[in-house]
C-alpha cells in the first residue's frame, strides 16, 4: 500500500444540503476535529477518491475546500490549547 501522509482538510459550504453531503464524505475518510475541520492520514489514491466524492457535492462558485499536507516535522509541532488530542496514524492504538 502507498504511504499515507497527514492532511488537514477544512471546508466552507454555503448550502445546508451540500454541507451534509460533504460532511458525510469527509467523515468516511477523516477524523473531525472541529465543525468543518478534519485530519486524515491518506495515500494519493485515498485522497483522490475523497476529492471525487466531495467534488460531486461542491459548488465551486459558492463553496471552498482547503487541503493542507503537513510534513512529519510540521505535524510533530502541532500545539493544543484546551480540548484536543492528535489524530493517531492508522493502526496506532492509544491507551
Amino acid at each position: 500500500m502507498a504511504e499515507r501522509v497527514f492532511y488537514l482538510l477544512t471546508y466552507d459550504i454555503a448550502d445546508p444540503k451540500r454541507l451534509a453531503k460533504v460532511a458525510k464524505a469527509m467523515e468516511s475518510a477523516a477524523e473531525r476535529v472541529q465543525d468543518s475541520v478534519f485530519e486524515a492520514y491518506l495515500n494519493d489514491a485515498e485522497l483522490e477518491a475523497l476529492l471525487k466524492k466531495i467534488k460531486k457535492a461542491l459548488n465551486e462558485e459558492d463553496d471552498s475546500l482547503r487541503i493542507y499536507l503537513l510534513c512529519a516535522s510540521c505535524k510533530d509541532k502541532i500545539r493544543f490549547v484546551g480540548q484536543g488530542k492528535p489524530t493517531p496514524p492508522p493502526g496506532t492504538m492509544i491507551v
Side-chain angles (χ1 to χ4, degrees):
M1 177 176 275
E3 180 184 358
R4 287 188 166 118
V5 293
F6 189 69
Y7 290 95
L8 177 72
L9 305 105
T10 182
Y11 57 77
D12 185 18
I13 309 297
D15 177 74
K17 288 183 181 180
R18 291 194 311 269
L19 174 63
K21 290 178 183 177
V22 171
K24 184 176 180 178
M26 294 289 281
E27 289 169 345
S28 73
E31 181 78 24
R32 185 188 297 264
V33 294
Q34 290 189 359
D35 287 342
S36 62
V37 180
F38 290 77
E39 294 176 345
Y41 288 87
L42 304 169
N43 62 36
D44 290 341
E46 292 166 334
L47 178 60
E48 289 308 313
L50 177 59
L51 290 177
K52 186 175 179 180
K53 286 182 192 178
I54 290 171
K55 286 179 181 180
K56 287 181 182 178
L58 197 88
N59 177 331
E60 293 185 20
E61 299 287 321
D62 298 325
D63 306 329
S64 70
L65 169 68
R66 292 178 180 243
I67 304 161
Y68 301 93
L69 183 147
L70 297 180
C71 66
S73 64
C74 295
K75 184 180 72 68
D76 290 340
K77 295 175 185 173
I78 295 173
R79 295 172 41 184
F80 298 91
V81 177
Q83 298 296 312
K85 59 183 177 190
T87 300
T92 301
M93 182 175 18
I94 297 176
V95 288

